[in-house]
Amino acid sequence: MSSGVPTLIALLHGPDQPGLVARVAGWIFERGGNILHADQHRDMEAGVFFQRVEWVPCFAPASGALPEAPSGGRTVIEAASEFTTFAATLGMSARVLSSAQRARVALFVSKADHCFHDLVLRGKAGDFPGEIVAVVGNHRDLAEAAAGYGLPFHHVPVSAETKVAAEARQLDLLRELRVELVVLARYMQVLSADFIGRFGAPVINIHHSFLPAFAGGRPYHQAHSRGVKLIGATAHYATRDLDEGPIIHQDVVRVTHRHGVDDLVRKGRDLERQVLAQALRWHLEGRVLAYGNKTVVFD
Amino acid sequence: MSSGVPTLIALLHGPDQPGLVARVAGWIFERGGNILHADQHRDMEAGVFFQRVEWVPCFAPASGALPEAPSGGRTVIEAASEFTTFAATLGMSARVLSSAQRARVALFVSKADHCFHDLVLRGKAGDFPGEIVAVVGNHRDLAEAAAGYGLPFHHVPVSAETKVAAEARQLDLLRELRVELVVLARYMQVLSADFIGRFGAPVINIHHSFLPAFAGGRPYHQAHSRGVKLIGATAHYATRDLDEGPIIHQDVVRVTHRHGVDDLVRKGRDLERQVLAQALRWHLEGRVLAYGNKTVVFD
Amino acid sequence: MSSGVPTLIALLHGPDQPGLVARVAGWIFERGGNILHADQHRDMEAGVFFQRVEWVPCFAPASGALPEAPSGGRTVIEAASEFTTFAATLGMSARVLSSAQRARVALFVSKADHCFHDLVLRGKAGDFPGEIVAVVGNHRDLAEAAAGYGLPFHHVPVSAETKVAAEARQLDLLRELRVELVVLARYMQVLSADFIGRFGAPVINIHHSFLPAFAGGRPYHQAHSRGVKLIGATAHYATRDLDEGPIIHQDVVRVTHRHGVDDLVRKGRDLERQVLAQALRWHLEGRVLAYGNKTVVFD
Amino acid sequence: MSSGVPTLIALLHGPDQPGLVARVAGWIFERGGNILHADQHRDMEAGVFFQRVEWVPCFAPASGALPEAPSGGRTVIEAASEFTTFAATLGMSARVLSSAQRARVALFVSKADHCFHDLVLRGKAGDFPGEIVAVVGNHRDLAEAAAGYGLPFHHVPVSAETKVAAEARQLDLLRELRVELVVLARYMQVLSADFIGRFGAPVINIHHSFLPAFAGGRPYHQAHSRGVKLIGATAHYATRDLDEGPIIHQDVVRVTHRHGVDDLVRKGRDLERQVLAQALRWHLEGRVLAYGNKTVVFD
């Protein structure tokens, strides 16, 4: 899944019609590319076709010259652009990424550090094709830990009064750093619909509950009070409606009457780390296609 | 956990106080009993003590006569009664059962047969210490299958108009058959609060969803529409508030975008069978203590 | 995944080469077919390409006549044959099935009945596209239960002395009944390499242990003695080397020090049922491609 | 499970006899103690009784003086000693710990850092009642990371020639630091039977495979080659027979044909972290009783 030649990965979706698989495969083949993986899905009710296709492109040398690096800047962008144009002729939207590129990721944090440490250490271990370029905190609690990892920490305090200005500052920062993905690593502020709209790139959140969830805050207290035997965590894209964005991944862990709220919180921390890390990895590998309020995950 | 000498199992709960474990153990020891298992729990917030204790009682022979069968009718009832009286002196409620007794169980069914077959076959295999003495259906669909297993089937149709009379007939039947537990094996009628109150013995239901659940009916359609990645099932005691009774067991199964509503229904069937069977088994082994809206499961 | 128009499903594998996806898709498209699902895999080390492709074929009416039923006998066989011929031109082996056909399955049983009941009931519920046409037992224990389900039961006793003759009789039976799949539902006899070779169609076995397993018999006793915290079950194709065939599915269940050998056996029964049923379903839906000693499962 | 008053926790085992539960509970009650949790187990085959009992001791003030801190040095040691003496009169071995004490733990590491980071971060988060007092590495790779966490790192290189001397140096270090538990956090050297014997305190190892396992090294390569659908990890006490010590915890994760050896290694890392951390936590909370080659885990 990893080693070797850079590949292109396209995520496509659009109205279903006969021959889509053949035409996509044919287009790639005619240009000398070799498909490594191709996975399709049809939403029968909605009549929508989805595809993830990954291929080794051929960048033919012009007039005997050496080929440019297939993952190199302009060449990949060109290849992506060509494919997107082709997809449009089929009535399909496409997003193309190169396996050689590492997305620029910002972590938004508050005080809790479990997801923060987990994601940073996984990043260092090469667990996902992304680079954490900034940590943005509304509190200073994780500034030192970020520094310890050699990561720039940006303190942007947020209060009801300063929220508009704070989000503007966050957006400036994200633009300046060319951030392509924001991960809310237990960031305890709600991003406004305006922020989501203006950022224009994906935001992944970890919800510390199974969805559908208990209404209101403090899910572990509510779970304990209701006497549930499982607690859950849900990673989803943040949309303008909080906690209503498309679900990427969910998991649960078993609890018993012996577990107090403290234990639920501790077990929840473990679960949140796992679920968020998996969702991030799938996203960065180009395996997640969101449409409407759902996702297709080509795992 | 199984073989050999009949045991007594007591489930106790009441206000916590020092020395409860010692006094219960002492009482049993003084009467020549030997504790096989004893499991305690304290709800620190509520200040409630819970215990499951299982012991081999000693039924001393009177004047050299042969001992009565320790699990025999009167003797067990006497032992249970003595223990209950003793527990009351500690301010505790107690329920005592004998491992040699098999509870009389009625299955309530409608048209779906997956939980029905599963429970009957497990009963025949000796998976739980209970005897299914009747199948009560508001439809006739499972009459033949019940007959095939040699089980009496009682058809009690229910409509909005006949509900009161139908429940009266069901209650007569349960009394006549000395039923000690009703299992709603995908029974698609809501039992009235009046029925629950007058029956006076436990009713276990399988809810075809994780709880907390999507509000309203057709959970698999809702789960599919929301794009969840896990679906759940919950076994709980039925109380006057539908779906709000104490949860005994829950489990989930993973689903993906590839699974249509049909697949969710099929996977849900498997899950419901497993969850209901486990809850029934725990209940019949005297492992479940309901209090307030929660359960303690001594597994 | 289910409803509606019959589809053709092809399972292909062979040496990898550029353009395979495009050529398969193109071939189907040119004949008016519409691909519903296509899933590929490459074994990079072995250089082998695997594909499962499912499509709605177009059976053009000859001279204005009504089209033949697309799943009807000869037409499907022709379509399958055409595809297989085409695949051969790519150096690929292909197996083609129609979603409208139900494979003829024989269950081999001994005395244990848990997998037997489970598979029969799932078959009746339409959980998998196959028909159980015979139950073959080396003991008579399940004869009555089979009759209760309306299934023909064939008693073929096996001893060391009669094994050769017994297997010959089994093979005759399988041929006569045109059986396409044998499921060893806790059949406690080892099939000879000769039987496997002469039957020539798949045999699925459920191994009551995780693989790699404790060497020797009585896995639950060994698991208990070693103090493992998980027990497993493995469904695999039977090959000439017992327990060494390609694994289709595995699962585990948690156990603790409280569980005696009896409990392990009971939990194992549940696990075996689940794992075998899932493996059978995947096989019959044309999702399993065995090669060498491994499987590719397009789930 | 956590807050508040220090408790004493005793782990007992010995030959079963009637009245053990009553006598232990009575002894504690007579001394003014209050049992919070008591969990028993009987190994019926071996005739061995096991108990974990946790209680709030009463340290009566002598002649009106203020009571000593119940968890204070001498008092706890005295209480433990009294209980151990009492247990001996019942023919039982006992180990007593105080919830207020934090065990002194040494991590042994080589080059892999995933378990190392995980345990250190959990320790800082207060996930288990222990203190990591040293990191011992046969390579220098984790020296800097240890320093970053403020942990002393001891480099003790080991080769075939220096093994005896190296182990002597490790033992000196452990004694000097009063280490009560060694955790082999992916330490790639085999400790000699002599080391295990002379250290005299528990050593927990994480085995990167399910047990029973593939014989030999490189389990993920073997798992991939065999085409298994689950990979496992096992935490166990190290004994003189490598990989044969009592199992504390095991878990598995699902893999498919899509996962290469690299993926198995990555998934295995996650699993190893989880399984080792859980085993460590259970051990430090006094929940694990090893006997023969098995464990009783009072979770």
mmCIF file of all heavy atoms in Angstrom, chain B residues 23-44:
data_model
loop_
_atom_site.group_PDB
_atom_site.id
_atom_site.type_symbol
_atom_site.label_atom_id
_atom_site.label_comp_id
_atom_site.label_asym_id
_atom_site.label_seq_id
_atom_site.Cartn_x
_atom_site.Cartn_y
_atom_site.Cartn_z
ATOM 1 N N ARG B 23 -21.173 -10.168 57.392
ATOM 2 C CA ARG B 23 -22.369 -10.728 58.022
ATOM 3 C C ARG B 23 -23.068 -11.731 57.114
ATOM 4 O O ARG B 23 -23.559 -12.771 57.585
ATOM 5 C CB ARG B 23 -23.293 -9.605 58.479
ATOM 6 C CG ARG B 23 -22.644 -8.885 59.684
ATOM 7 C CD ARG B 23 -23.273 -7.576 60.007
ATOM 8 N NE ARG B 23 -24.543 -7.763 60.699
ATOM 9 C CZ ARG B 23 -25.261 -6.743 61.167
ATOM 10 N NH1 ARG B 23 -24.812 -5.489 61.018
ATOM 11 N NH2 ARG B 23 -26.404 -6.968 61.780
ATOM 12 N N VAL B 24 -23.122 -11.434 55.832
ATOM 13 C CA VAL B 24 -23.727 -12.393 54.903
ATOM 14 C C VAL B 24 -22.898 -13.673 54.867
ATOM 15 O O VAL B 24 -23.431 -14.786 54.996
ATOM 16 C CB VAL B 24 -23.873 -11.787 53.490
ATOM 17 C CG1 VAL B 24 -24.259 -12.866 52.482
ATOM 18 C CG2 VAL B 24 -24.888 -10.655 53.492
ATOM 19 N N ALA B 25 -21.596 -13.517 54.743
ATOM 20 C CA ALA B 25 -20.728 -14.702 54.685
ATOM 21 C C ALA B 25 -20.803 -15.487 55.988
ATOM 22 O O ALA B 25 -20.846 -16.725 55.997
ATOM 23 C CB ALA B 25 -19.293 -14.279 54.388
ATOM 24 N N GLY B 26 -20.863 -14.752 57.109
ATOM 25 C CA GLY B 26 -20.932 -15.412 58.405
ATOM 26 C C GLY B 26 -22.221 -16.214 58.560
ATOM 27 O O GLY B 26 -22.212 -17.357 59.031
ATOM 28 N N TRP B 27 -23.327 -15.610 58.139
ATOM 29 C CA TRP B 27 -24.631 -16.278 58.252
ATOM 30 C C TRP B 27 -24.613 -17.616 57.493
ATOM 31 O O TRP B 27 -25.061 -18.636 58.002
ATOM 32 C CB TRP B 27 -25.717 -15.355 57.681
ATOM 33 C CG TRP B 27 -27.124 -15.823 57.926
ATOM 34 C CD1 TRP B 27 -27.909 -15.529 59.007
ATOM 35 C CD2 TRP B 27 -27.905 -16.677 57.080
ATOM 36 N NE1 TRP B 27 -29.130 -16.131 58.879
ATOM 37 C CE2 TRP B 27 -29.164 -16.852 57.707
ATOM 38 C CE3 TRP B 27 -27.670 -17.306 55.860
ATOM 39 C CZ2 TRP B 27 -30.175 -17.626 57.155
ATOM 40 C CZ3 TRP B 27 -28.668 -18.091 55.300
ATOM 41 C CH2 TRP B 27 -29.919 -18.248 55.948
ATOM 42 N N ILE B 28 -24.070 -17.595 56.294
ATOM 43 C CA ILE B 28 -24.033 -18.816 55.476
ATOM 44 C C ILE B 28 -23.111 -19.854 56.112
ATOM 45 O O ILE B 28 -23.447 -21.031 56.221
ATOM 46 C CB ILE B 28 -23.581 -18.478 54.036
ATOM 47 C CG1 ILE B 28 -24.655 -17.651 53.334
ATOM 48 C CG2 ILE B 28 -23.266 -19.753 53.245
ATOM 49 C CD1 ILE B 28 -24.226 -17.034 52.012
ATOM 50 N N PHE B 29 -21.945 -19.382 56.573
ATOM 51 C CA PHE B 29 -20.949 -20.276 57.150
ATOM 52 C C PHE B 29 -21.492 -20.968 58.400
ATOM 53 O O PHE B 29 -21.335 -22.182 58.591
ATOM 54 C CB PHE B 29 -19.686 -19.479 57.468
ATOM 55 C CG PHE B 29 -18.547 -20.310 57.956
ATOM 56 C CD1 PHE B 29 -18.181 -21.499 57.322
ATOM 57 C CD2 PHE B 29 -17.810 -19.905 59.066
ATOM 58 C CE1 PHE B 29 -17.109 -22.247 57.776
ATOM 59 C CE2 PHE B 29 -16.744 -20.660 59.518
ATOM 60 C CZ PHE B 29 -16.401 -21.830 58.877
ATOM 61 N N GLU B 30 -22.166 -20.182 59.243
ATOM 62 C CA GLU B 30 -22.716 -20.742 60.492
ATOM 63 C C GLU B 30 -23.722 -21.857 60.242
ATOM 64 O O GLU B 30 -23.919 -22.737 61.066
ATOM 65 C CB GLU B 30 -23.402 -19.639 61.309
ATOM 66 C CG GLU B 30 -22.418 -18.685 61.953
ATOM 67 C CD GLU B 30 -23.099 -17.357 62.291
ATOM 68 O OE1 GLU B 30 -24.351 -17.324 62.335
ATOM 69 O OE2 GLU B 30 -22.369 -16.355 62.481
ATOM 70 N N ARG B 31 -24.411 -21.775 59.084
ATOM 71 C CA ARG B 31 -25.395 -22.806 58.746
ATOM 72 C C ARG B 31 -24.781 -23.936 57.917
ATOM 73 O O ARG B 31 -25.490 -24.748 57.315
ATOM 74 C CB ARG B 31 -26.556 -22.167 57.982
ATOM 75 C CG ARG B 31 -27.567 -21.568 58.960
ATOM 76 C CD ARG B 31 -28.283 -20.350 58.448
ATOM 77 N NE ARG B 31 -28.946 -19.674 59.568
ATOM 78 C CZ ARG B 31 -28.317 -18.838 60.393
ATOM 79 N NH1 ARG B 31 -27.034 -18.591 60.250
ATOM 80 N NH2 ARG B 31 -28.976 -18.272 61.393
ATOM 81 N N GLY B 32 -23.456 -23.964 57.883
ATOM 82 C CA GLY B 32 -22.778 -25.079 57.213
ATOM 83 C C GLY B 32 -22.688 -24.929 55.705
ATOM 84 O O GLY B 32 -22.273 -25.858 55.012
ATOM 85 N N GLY B 33 -23.064 -23.779 55.212
ATOM 86 C CA GLY B 33 -22.993 -23.568 53.761
ATOM 87 C C GLY B 33 -21.582 -23.206 53.344
ATOM 88 O O GLY B 33 -20.770 -22.746 54.151
ATOM 89 N N ASN B 34 -21.281 -23.414 52.067
ATOM 90 C CA ASN B 34 -19.965 -23.052 51.545
ATOM 91 C C ASN B 34 -20.139 -22.149 50.337
ATOM 92 O O ASN B 34 -20.736 -22.529 49.335
ATOM 93 C CB ASN B 34 -19.181 -24.316 51.160
ATOM 94 C CG ASN B 34 -17.725 -23.983 50.866
ATOM 95 O OD1 ASN B 34 -17.207 -22.976 51.360
ATOM 96 N ND2 ASN B 34 -17.077 -24.805 50.049
ATOM 97 N N ILE B 35 -19.592 -20.935 50.448
ATOM 98 C CA ILE B 35 -19.750 -19.941 49.382
ATOM 99 C C ILE B 35 -18.866 -20.303 48.191
ATOM 100 O O ILE B 35 -17.657 -20.490 48.342
ATOM 101 C CB ILE B 35 -19.391 -18.534 49.906
ATOM 102 C CG1 ILE B 35 -20.406 -18.106 50.963
ATOM 103 C CG2 ILE B 35 -19.337 -17.526 48.772
ATOM 104 C CD1 ILE B 35 -20.100 -16.770 51.601
ATOM 105 N N LEU B 36 -19.480 -20.411 47.032
ATOM 106 C CA LEU B 36 -18.713 -20.690 45.815
ATOM 107 C C LEU B 36 -18.285 -19.401 45.136
ATOM 108 O O LEU B 36 -17.172 -19.280 44.651
ATOM 109 C CB LEU B 36 -19.557 -21.512 44.836
ATOM 110 C CG LEU B 36 -19.902 -22.931 45.273
ATOM 111 C CD1 LEU B 36 -20.604 -23.658 44.146
ATOM 112 C CD2 LEU B 36 -18.628 -23.686 45.661
ATOM 113 N N HIS B 37 -19.208 -18.468 45.033
ATOM 114 C CA HIS B 37 -18.922 -17.187 44.396
ATOM 115 C C HIS B 37 -19.591 -16.102 45.213
ATOM 116 O O HIS B 37 -20.692 -16.299 45.722
ATOM 117 C CB HIS B 37 -19.512 -17.129 42.982
ATOM 118 C CG HIS B 37 -19.032 -18.208 42.088
ATOM 119 N ND1 HIS B 37 -17.754 -18.232 41.579
ATOM 120 C CD2 HIS B 37 -19.638 -19.311 41.613
ATOM 121 C CE1 HIS B 37 -17.608 -19.313 40.832
ATOM 122 N NE2 HIS B 37 -18.732 -19.992 40.831
ATOM 123 N N ALA B 38 -18.917 -14.983 45.324
ATOM 124 C CA ALA B 38 -19.566 -13.833 45.946
ATOM 125 C C ALA B 38 -19.003 -12.612 45.262
ATOM 126 O O ALA B 38 -17.793 -12.481 45.103
ATOM 127 C CB ALA B 38 -19.289 -13.780 47.447
ATOM 128 N N ASP B 39 -19.882 -11.790 44.816
ATOM 129 C CA ASP B 39 -19.466 -10.633 44.044
ATOM 130 C C ASP B 39 -20.252 -9.440 44.584
ATOM 131 O O ASP B 39 -21.456 -9.527 44.765
ATOM 132 C CB ASP B 39 -19.810 -10.891 42.558
ATOM 133 C CG ASP B 39 -18.985 -10.036 41.621
ATOM 134 O OD1 ASP B 39 -18.267 -9.133 42.087
ATOM 135 O OD2 ASP B 39 -19.078 -10.267 40.405
ATOM 136 N N GLN B 40 -19.529 -8.369 44.896
ATOM 137 C CA GLN B 40 -20.187 -7.207 45.468
ATOM 138 C C GLN B 40 -20.016 -5.996 44.576
ATOM 139 O O GLN B 40 -19.073 -5.950 43.778
ATOM 140 C CB GLN B 40 -19.585 -6.834 46.827
ATOM 141 C CG GLN B 40 -19.888 -7.777 47.909
ATOM 142 C CD GLN B 40 -19.010 -9.016 47.829
ATOM 143 O OE1 GLN B 40 -19.497 -10.131 47.852
ATOM 144 N NE2 GLN B 40 -17.714 -8.831 47.668
ATOM 145 N N HIS B 41 -20.872 -5.058 44.739
ATOM 146 C CA HIS B 41 -20.695 -3.770 44.078
ATOM 147 C C HIS B 41 -21.287 -2.707 44.985
ATOM 148 O O HIS B 41 -22.276 -2.940 45.662
ATOM 149 C CB HIS B 41 -21.401 -3.767 42.719
ATOM 150 C CG HIS B 41 -21.372 -2.424 42.068
ATOM 151 N ND1 HIS B 41 -20.203 -1.807 41.693
ATOM 152 C CD2 HIS B 41 -22.363 -1.565 41.739
ATOM 153 C CE1 HIS B 41 -20.489 -0.631 41.155
ATOM 154 N NE2 HIS B 41 -21.785 -0.467 41.168
ATOM 155 N N ARG B 42 -20.631 -1.556 44.983
ATOM 156 C CA ARG B 42 -21.179 -0.414 45.697
ATOM 157 C C ARG B 42 -21.405 0.709 44.706
ATOM 158 O O ARG B 42 -20.482 1.055 43.963
ATOM 159 C CB ARG B 42 -20.175 0.093 46.735
ATOM 160 C CG ARG B 42 -20.404 -0.489 48.080
ATOM 161 C CD ARG B 42 -19.366 -0.073 49.066
ATOM 162 N NE ARG B 42 -19.622 -0.786 50.298
ATOM 163 C CZ ARG B 42 -19.377 -2.082 50.474
ATOM 164 N NH1 ARG B 42 -18.826 -2.784 49.502
ATOM 165 N NH2 ARG B 42 -19.684 -2.659 51.609
ATOM 166 N N ASP B 43 -22.601 1.247 44.697
ATOM 167 C CA ASP B 43 -22.831 2.479 43.953
ATOM 168 C C ASP B 43 -22.503 3.608 44.915
ATOM 169 O O ASP B 43 -23.253 3.904 45.840
ATOM 170 C CB ASP B 43 -24.288 2.539 43.482
ATOM 171 C CG ASP B 43 -24.524 3.756 42.599
ATOM 172 O OD1 ASP B 43 -24.012 4.842 42.939
ATOM 173 O OD2 ASP B 43 -25.203 3.617 41.574
ATOM 174 N N MET B 44 -21.317 4.203 44.695
ATOM 175 C CA MET B 44 -20.801 5.178 45.661
ATOM 176 C C MET B 44 -21.723 6.396 45.749
ATOM 177 O O MET B 44 -21.966 6.925 46.827
ATOM 178 C CB MET B 44 -19.389 5.633 45.265
ATOM 179 C CG MET B 44 -18.374 4.498 45.174
ATOM 180 S SD MET B 44 -18.043 3.711 46.780
ATOM 181 C CE MET B 44 -16.625 2.679 46.361
#
